[in-house]
Amino acid sequence: MTNNIFNLIINDCSEISDSKKFNFFKNKKILITGSTGLLGHYFIAFFINLLKSKSKPKKITLLHKSSLPGYLKFLNKNKYFAIKRVNLSKENFKNFEKYDCIIHAATYAQPSEFIKNSHETINLNTFVTYKLIKLLKPKGKFLFISSSEIYSGIKDKIINENFSGVTTPDHIRACYIESKRCGETIVNEFRKEKIDAVSARLCLAYGPGFKINDERVLSQFIKRALKEKKLEISKGQSNIRSYIYITDVIKMLLNILLRGKKNVYNIGGKSKISILDLGKKISKLTSAKFLPRKNNKNKDGAPDFANISINNYEKEFGKIKFKNLDDGLKKTIEWYINLLE
């Protein structure tokens, strides 16, 4: 795997794999959906590192809908991985085996994509979630990746898990927001049957592993800065975001999957930055010319404020030392430089 850009992610993830903490995975069968997404990339890297330890799993099955990136094709030669290209929203699940651990990360995370593919988005978060939990072995563990989007409509608050958004079913992003809520409800109903399942409301993860066609703000900014040597910003400049680097996300998700006592956890960072200042940072780190324009209002339903409380997580697992935003952006920029080459 010499010169494979996926080495960036494997090396980045190596600090996580303290095998003593992950004895649960020893000789277990793992299923990961959405394996070609950002979360999927880092879970793959986590398990690659874990395979070097005494806690190595028996088999890791990766499900993906989009084509397998060239830098992941080396996994076809790894006996511990099974890779399957499937459209889960059209799957009947009749020929699926049972698993000890299921990480359901398959979704459309980009607003433009989940709005365009609204029916499939709803299906992935509801019907597919239900069917996947039914594939869990006794004493197995299930993780559903939900979203802080369910808090949409709440402004100027640090939001904990007891809050609920104030959007309606006719909101432009309702297919995503409401189906994530329903997915969490499905998880909670199975918990009543003593199934070990948990939901994670993720807020703005970033890092190496983004796809070349990712159109979320941070990715757009980096690609424009690298390709055009300039960065123009005309929308949502005052919107506030709180980003969290992907290795911090994976650490938190593994904790709640293996040891969490609650049914749902917020997973997010603490530092806050405006879209305008994010653009300035990326311009500086890429030596691109920064060109802010007249601030036009977003029309895609994007929240003005995205920042959630992780107090419940920290009460249970302790304080987190988050990766610095500049350091995380440098790694993400390095990833995109390699992709663009």
CSV table of all heavy atoms in Angstrom, one decimal, residues 155-174:
chain,number,residue,atom,x,y,z
A,155,LYS,N,-32.3,28.8,18.1
A,155,LYS,CA,-31.3,29.8,17.9
A,155,LYS,C,-30.7,30.2,19.2
A,155,LYS,O,-31.3,30.3,20.3
A,155,LYS,CB,-31.9,31.0,17.2
A,155,LYS,CG,-32.4,30.7,15.8
A,155,LYS,CD,-33.0,32.0,15.2
A,155,LYS,CE,-33.5,31.6,13.8
A,155,LYS,NZ,-34.0,32.9,13.1
A,156,ASP,N,-29.4,30.6,19.2
A,156,ASP,CA,-28.7,31.2,20.2
A,156,ASP,C,-28.7,30.4,21.6
A,156,ASP,O,-28.8,31.0,22.6
A,156,ASP,CB,-29.2,32.6,20.5
A,156,ASP,CG,-29.1,33.5,19.2
A,156,ASP,OD1,-28.1,33.3,18.5
A,156,ASP,OD2,-30.0,34.3,19.0
A,157,LYS,N,-28.6,29.1,21.5
A,157,LYS,CA,-28.6,28.3,22.7
A,157,LYS,C,-27.5,27.2,22.5
A,157,LYS,O,-27.3,26.8,21.4
A,157,LYS,CB,-29.9,27.6,23.0
A,157,LYS,CG,-31.0,28.6,23.4
A,157,LYS,CD,-32.3,27.8,23.7
A,157,LYS,CE,-33.4,28.7,24.1
A,157,LYS,NZ,-34.7,27.9,24.4
A,158,ILE,N,-26.9,26.8,23.6
A,158,ILE,CA,-26.1,25.6,23.6
A,158,ILE,C,-27.1,24.5,23.9
A,158,ILE,O,-27.6,24.4,25.0
A,158,ILE,CB,-25.0,25.7,24.7
A,158,ILE,CG1,-24.1,26.9,24.5
A,158,ILE,CG2,-24.2,24.4,24.7
A,158,ILE,CD1,-23.4,26.9,23.1
A,159,ILE,N,-27.2,23.6,23.0
A,159,ILE,CA,-28.3,22.7,23.0
A,159,ILE,C,-27.9,21.3,23.5
A,159,ILE,O,-27.0,20.7,23.0
A,159,ILE,CB,-28.9,22.5,21.5
A,159,ILE,CG1,-29.3,23.9,20.9
A,159,ILE,CG2,-30.1,21.6,21.5
A,159,ILE,CD1,-29.3,23.9,19.4
A,160,ASN,N,-28.7,20.8,24.5
A,160,ASN,CA,-28.5,19.5,25.0
A,160,ASN,C,-29.5,18.5,24.5
A,160,ASN,O,-30.4,18.9,23.7
A,160,ASN,CB,-28.4,19.5,26.6
A,160,ASN,CG,-29.8,19.8,27.2
A,160,ASN,OD1,-30.8,19.5,26.7
A,160,ASN,ND2,-29.7,20.6,28.3
A,161,GLU,N,-29.4,17.2,24.8
A,161,GLU,CA,-30.2,16.2,24.2
A,161,GLU,C,-31.7,16.3,24.6
A,161,GLU,O,-32.5,15.6,24.0
A,161,GLU,CB,-29.6,14.8,24.6
A,161,GLU,CG,-28.3,14.5,24.0
A,161,GLU,CD,-27.1,15.0,24.9
A,161,GLU,OE1,-27.3,15.9,25.8
A,161,GLU,OE2,-26.0,14.6,24.6
A,162,ASN,N,-32.0,17.1,25.5
A,162,ASN,CA,-33.4,17.3,25.9
A,162,ASN,C,-34.2,18.2,25.0
A,162,ASN,O,-35.4,18.3,25.1
A,162,ASN,CB,-33.6,17.7,27.4
A,162,ASN,CG,-33.0,16.7,28.4
A,162,ASN,OD1,-33.2,15.5,28.2
A,162,ASN,ND2,-32.4,17.2,29.4
A,163,PHE,N,-33.5,19.0,24.2
A,163,PHE,CA,-34.1,19.9,23.3
A,163,PHE,C,-34.6,19.2,22.0
A,163,PHE,O,-34.1,18.1,21.7
A,163,PHE,CB,-33.1,21.0,22.8
A,163,PHE,CG,-32.9,22.1,23.8
A,163,PHE,CD1,-31.9,22.0,24.8
A,163,PHE,CD2,-33.7,23.2,23.8
A,163,PHE,CE1,-31.7,23.0,25.7
A,163,PHE,CE2,-33.5,24.2,24.7
A,163,PHE,CZ,-32.5,24.1,25.7
A,164,SER,N,-35.6,19.8,21.4
A,164,SER,CA,-36.1,19.3,20.1
A,164,SER,C,-36.2,20.5,19.2
A,164,SER,O,-36.5,21.6,19.7
A,164,SER,CB,-37.4,18.6,20.3
A,164,SER,OG,-37.8,18.1,19.0
A,165,GLY,N,-36.0,20.3,17.9
A,165,GLY,CA,-36.1,21.4,17.0
A,165,GLY,C,-37.5,21.9,16.8
A,165,GLY,O,-38.5,21.3,17.3
A,166,VAL,N,-37.6,23.0,16.1
A,166,VAL,CA,-38.9,23.7,16.0
A,166,VAL,C,-39.3,23.8,14.5
A,166,VAL,O,-40.2,24.5,14.1
A,166,VAL,CB,-39.0,25.1,16.6
A,166,VAL,CG1,-38.8,25.0,18.1
A,166,VAL,CG2,-37.9,26.0,16.0
A,167,THR,N,-38.7,23.0,13.7
A,167,THR,CA,-39.1,22.9,12.2
A,167,THR,C,-40.3,22.1,12.1
A,167,THR,O,-40.7,21.3,12.9
A,167,THR,CB,-38.0,22.4,11.4
A,167,THR,OG1,-37.6,21.1,11.9
A,167,THR,CG2,-36.7,23.2,11.4
A,168,THR,N,-41.0,22.2,10.9
A,168,THR,CA,-42.2,21.5,10.6
A,168,THR,C,-41.9,20.5,9.5
A,168,THR,O,-40.9,20.6,8.8
A,168,THR,CB,-43.3,22.5,10.2
A,168,THR,OG1,-42.9,23.2,9.0
A,168,THR,CG2,-43.6,23.5,11.3
A,169,PRO,N,-42.9,19.6,9.2
A,169,PRO,CA,-42.6,18.6,8.2
A,169,PRO,C,-42.6,19.2,6.8
A,169,PRO,O,-42.2,18.5,5.8
A,169,PRO,CB,-43.9,17.7,8.3
A,169,PRO,CG,-44.2,17.8,9.7
A,169,PRO,CD,-44.0,19.2,10.1
A,170,ASP,N,-42.9,20.5,6.6
A,170,ASP,CA,-42.7,21.1,5.3
A,170,ASP,C,-41.4,21.9,5.1
A,170,ASP,O,-41.2,22.6,4.1
A,170,ASP,CB,-43.9,21.9,4.9
A,170,ASP,CG,-44.2,23.1,5.9
A,170,ASP,OD1,-43.4,23.2,6.8
A,170,ASP,OD2,-45.1,23.9,5.6
A,171,HIS,N,-40.5,21.8,6.1
A,171,HIS,CA,-39.2,22.5,6.0
A,171,HIS,C,-38.5,21.9,4.9
A,171,HIS,O,-38.6,20.7,4.5
A,171,HIS,CB,-38.5,22.2,7.4
A,171,HIS,CG,-37.2,23.0,7.5
A,171,HIS,ND1,-36.0,22.5,6.9
A,171,HIS,CD2,-36.9,24.1,8.1
A,171,HIS,CE1,-35.0,23.4,7.2
A,171,HIS,NE2,-35.5,24.4,7.9
A,172,ILE,N,-37.6,22.7,4.2
A,172,ILE,CA,-36.9,22.3,3.1
A,172,ILE,C,-36.0,21.0,3.3
A,172,ILE,O,-35.8,20.2,2.5
A,172,ILE,CB,-36.1,23.4,2.4
A,172,ILE,CG1,-35.5,23.0,1.1
A,172,ILE,CG2,-35.0,23.8,3.4
A,172,ILE,CD1,-34.9,24.2,0.3
A,173,ARG,N,-35.6,20.9,4.6
A,173,ARG,CA,-34.7,19.8,5.0
A,173,ARG,C,-35.5,18.7,5.8
A,173,ARG,O,-34.9,17.8,6.4
A,173,ARG,CB,-33.5,20.2,5.8
A,173,ARG,CG,-32.6,21.2,5.0
A,173,ARG,CD,-31.3,21.5,5.8
A,173,ARG,NE,-30.5,22.4,5.2
A,173,ARG,CZ,-29.2,22.6,5.4
A,173,ARG,NH1,-28.6,21.9,6.4
A,173,ARG,NH2,-28.5,23.5,4.8
A,174,ALA,N,-36.8,18.7,5.7
A,174,ALA,CA,-37.6,17.8,6.6
A,174,ALA,C,-37.3,16.4,6.3
A,174,ALA,O,-37.3,15.5,7.3
A,174,ALA,CB,-39.1,18.1,6.4
